[in-house]
Amino acid sequence: MGAGGWASYGHIPALRTLPEFEVVSVSARRQESAQQAAEKFGIPHAYEDAHDLIKDPDVDLVAVLTPTSQRVPLVKAAIEAGKDVYSEWPLTTRTSAASEELLALTEAKGVRHVAGLQRRQGPAARYVRDLVAQGYVGDVRAARISVGLDAFPPVMPERIAWTFDVDAFTHVLSIYGGHFLDVLFQIVGPPKDLTAIVETQLPELTVLETGKTVPSAKPDEVMAVGTLENGGLFSVQLEGAQKFPTVLQSNITGTEGVLRLTNDRAFENTEDNTLHGVNGDSGNGSALAVLPVPEEYRSLPDASLDESVQDLAHLYAAFARDKANGTTEATTFADAVRQHHLIDRIQRSSKEFSA
């Protein structure tokens, strides 16, 4: 459901590379848009009404890619119809309680569910997770992640002005925080205690075409520190609307070594994250060196797509294996609920800090 940029750039091309899947239906708010997508990608059925897609007997997995505010009723309808369901992140605009309701509904109906937290599926992210688990850095002392991007600037086109409203839950904390904190904490384990500050440094946003200004309460700067369940400390910085994006920088330091992940893009990445590391077995003294990701982490049949799209393909491939083997490699609604709870904790901590 949804034939916009992320569907056409990401989901449909990713699915078309995987032999386990066939894209048989697409829906959009306008029949013309759905038909254009169907013709472009050779999809048999195009619908204006998303419920017609859900009813399509050829559809086994419903991917809900609409804006966050429109997802809940469509996800619920797919679950009620007994279809497996993929929901983009975030699951809901009201964080924990509403997300828990969707998770409970999937479990009651016995359908499989996937949450669009695909960044952890990237080869470098999975390799770092395994290196930490294998003791490359020894005991984790600290994990730091900084994500700085030019997204959510003070002037935006009218077609995405709906994101100005903080209740749309489309901002640097919910979107990029949700994705990148999922990557961090699947590597080093979940946070235990945290203290955070969330600020709106751009209290006024402007519509590009009209010059209309709108008051905004959307967070665009987030900092958090805390302890990890597995021991060690963590720190987080998320910053939107940067003129000169610092993008992804992450260090994991331990008693025996250091790992560093970087990328010069935060979205629509053409390349995977670059991994550097050093420990006592490195043979290069104290200098960080590039650690190539082993080929077994790159298991897709087509590696020609952008890495952002390949992350999606890895997620769908994991779902296919889960369905065949009864495993849980793919991120599920349970993972999304945990991320919603984390964002709630960050926002509550900030309010308490300010008080």
Side-chain angles (χ1 to χ4, degrees):
M1 298 175 184
W6 189 217
S8 336
Y9 164 73
H11 283 264
I12 298 173
L15 287 164
R16 283 161 55 91
T17 68
L18 300 173
E20 300 92 342
F21 294 90
E22 179 186 0
V23 183
V24 296
S25 300
V26 62
S27 69
R29 285 177 291 178
R30 295 185 302 117
Q31 181 66 36
E32 179 185 4
S33 299
Q35 194 60 47
Q36 286 174 350
E39 290 173 2
K40 178 179 179 179
F41 293 106
I43 300 171
H45 306 296
Y47 300 110
E48 182 173 4
D49 188 339
H51 292 87
D52 290 336
L53 182 149
I54 293 171
K55 294 174 188 173
D56 189 327
D58 292 332
V59 171
D60 303 307
L61 170 67
V62 176
V64 182
L65 314 179
T66 59
T68 311
S69 60
Q70 301 170 18
R71 281 180 201 149
V72 171
L74 296 174
V75 171
K76 281 185 175 179
I79 297 168
E80 292 288 358
K83 301 292 178 80
D84 293 338
V85 61
Y86 178 115
S87 175
E88 264 303 343
W89 167 263
L91 281 186
T92 66
T93 59
R94 296 203 172 210
T95 67
S96 302
S99 300
E100 287 175 344
E101 181 185 353
L102 289 181
L103 174 59
L105 187 59
T106 62
E107 292 173 343
K109 292 292 182 179
V111 302
R112 286 194 167 272
H113 41 97
V114 190
L117 291 164
Q118 70 278 357
R119 288 184 182 273
R120 69 157 72 177
Q121 298 289 341
R126 286 183 285 120
Y127 185 39
V128 172
R129 176 200 63 198
D130 291 347
L131 286 174
V132 170
Q134 293 160 10
Y136 184 95
V137 301
D139 295 330
V140 172
R141 296 185 60 195
R144 178 187 68 86
I145 191 167
S146 171
V147 181
L149 49 142
D150 56 5
F152 307 112
V155 180
M156 289 195 280
E158 192 165 17
R159 63 185 172 79
I160 55 173
W162 60 271
T163 66
F164 288 3
D165 185 355
V166 67
D167 290 335
F169 205 60
T170 303
H171 46 69
V172 69
L173 174 57
S174 62
I175 304 301
Y176 289 91
H179 281 289
F180 283 101
L181 295 183
D182 180 64
V183 173
L184 179 68
F185 294 129
Q186 68 100 20
I187 292 171
V188 298
K192 183 179 179 183
D193 301 306
L194 66 82
T195 299
I197 303 176
V198 179
E199 284 201 349
T200 302
Q201 296 180 339
L202 301 173
E204 191 173 82
L205 303 176
T206 302
V207 178
L208 176 64
E209 294 85 349
T210 65
K212 178 182 177 181
T213 58
V214 180
S216 174
K218 287 187 357 175
D220 47 53
E221 185 76 45
V222 180
M223 300 196 78
V225 295
T227 59
L228 297 166
E229 291 280 0
N230 297 337
L233 307 180
F234 74 88
S235 69
V236 172
Q237 181 192 17
L238 308 169
E239 184 172 285
Q242 286 186 336
K243 287 187 178 180
F244 307 100
T246 53
V247 207
L248 171 64
Q249 302 174 46
S250 182
N251 291 331
I252 300 167
T253 59
T255 56
E256 304 297 332
V258 178
L259 289 166
R260 174 177 293 166
L261 271 179
T262 57
N263 203 314
D264 60 5
R265 293 187 66 86
F267 181 56
E268 296 187 350
N269 310 28
T270 57
E271 303 292 336
D272 194 11
N273 301 329
T274 299
L275 173 62
H276 289 78
V278 63
N279 67 7
D281 298 325
S282 299
N284 56 326
S286 60
L288 286 161
V290 172
L291 299 181
V293 177
E295 282 304 310
E296 57 260 35
Y297 289 86
R298 304 184 183 279
S299 55
L300 297 176
D302 183 351
S304 65
L305 299 172
D306 284 359
E307 285 291 336
S308 285
V309 183
Q310 290 188 53
D311 289 351
L312 273 176
H314 280 295
L315 178 55
Y316 277 114
F319 170 78
R321 290 192 296 271
D322 290 344
K323 194 170 176 69
N325 304 324
T327 51
T328 52
E329 289 182 58
T331 45
T332 68
F333 284 15
D335 296 296
V337 166
R338 279 192 288 273
Q339 288 305 97
H340 276 292
H341 277 297
L342 175 58
I343 290 171
D344 282 354
R345 288 178 65 190
I346 290 171
Q347 292 178 317
R348 280 197 307 269
S349 175
S350 182
K351 289 176 182 177
E352 293 165 1
F353 187 93
S354 302

